[in-house]
Amino acid sequence: MPPATNSGNGGLLSLLQCGPASLLSCDGVPDECDFDINPTGLYVAVHTKQWGLAADRLKVFPAEASVWVSRFGDPVGLANIANTTNGVTSLPGTPTSAAMAEARRRPKVLRWKMLPLHGAVLFGAPLELVHALIKAYPAACSCVDDQGMLPLHLAFRCGAKEAVVLELLDVYPQAIEIEDKKGRVPSVLALKDAVSYVDTIGEAFLKGPSYYYYAARVAASDRVRNESEMAAKVRKLEEERKAEYESTKNLLTKTQAELQEDIEVLSTENAELKERLAWYETKYDGAEEKEKVLVDHTNSLAERLR
């Protein structure tokens, strides 16, 4: 199995960039790639336990969930080759160019081969990432690695959380009875000291794949029913909101029309009042002077009568 390595975000981000210096294949998604030559960005993130980066990569390149990643090794190893050139023997670990060329001509030995889902389970990825990988490529649950192990084998072997085990069983319940190359079913690989759900494992084996098949079908039906009910509620709320919007719009339009009518009536009355005021002002123009003359004349007569 491949060892996990922890590296900084800067180095990993540089690997995930497309360009001439990139280790990744960005122009297309191959069916298989070499870990040391052209690994996918998704597997690099999983291999280095950068779970958030792996989730982001999966959203952009979901097809990488179906790419097999392999690693090869030389049967002897370059570091252990002692070479003699012109009678001088080089130290182990410093092979000459001729020795390296000779080593490259030898057939390579497969060290490991797996999908990103295998790696995620092996390295203890969170349930959310495991779920996302399964959603991107459900067939990965039924794919075996170079050791004939399904993701479920690795989950039991590494003491994965019960939720991860049940997630794998829901998608591929037959896995509970499938043997690896050494004839071991997944439950045999469970670490009793590290796994707290040994009873669940035994129960799963006794129930067999049919139980999980129908359980998955029931769960799927419940999920579809809940989604349908939720969609119906959403549609009802949207219809109610639309009807309320139309009602409010109609009321606003009606109110605006009524206010416009009131404005027109008030404008007409205002014009009439202005006309009447102008008439009265014309009619009674000079009335104060006439009144003063009349008063003076009355006072003059009063003085005469005395």
Side-chain angles (χ1 to χ4, degrees), residues 167-181:
E167 183 85 12
L168 296 171
L169 282 171
D170 284 343
V171 179
Y172 188 57
Q174 296 89 335
I176 197 67
E177 293 181 347
I178 293 180
E179 300 177 350
D180 63 6
K181 288 185 177 180

Side-chain angles (χ1 to χ4, degrees), residues 95-170:
T96 63
S97 299
M100 293 179 66
E102 175 63 25
R104 290 193 183 96
R105 283 195 293 270
R106 298 175 183 175
K108 291 184 178 180
V109 175
L110 179 65
R111 293 175 59 185
W112 51 262
K113 178 181 179 181
M114 61 179 61
L115 289 167
L117 179 61
H118 293 85
V121 174
L122 179 63
F123 298 138
L127 177 63
E128 293 76 12
L129 180 58
V130 173
H131 177 76
L133 288 168
I134 293 175
K135 184 177 181 180
Y137 187 51
C141 295
S142 60
C143 294
V144 296
D145 63 8
D146 58 296
Q147 300 298 319
M149 290 188 178
L150 295 164
L152 187 64
H153 285 89
L154 299 176
F156 285 151
R157 180 177 180 178
C158 300
K161 295 181 179 180
E162 183 175 4
V164 173
V165 172
L166 294 178
E167 183 85 12
L168 296 171
L169 282 171
D170 284 343

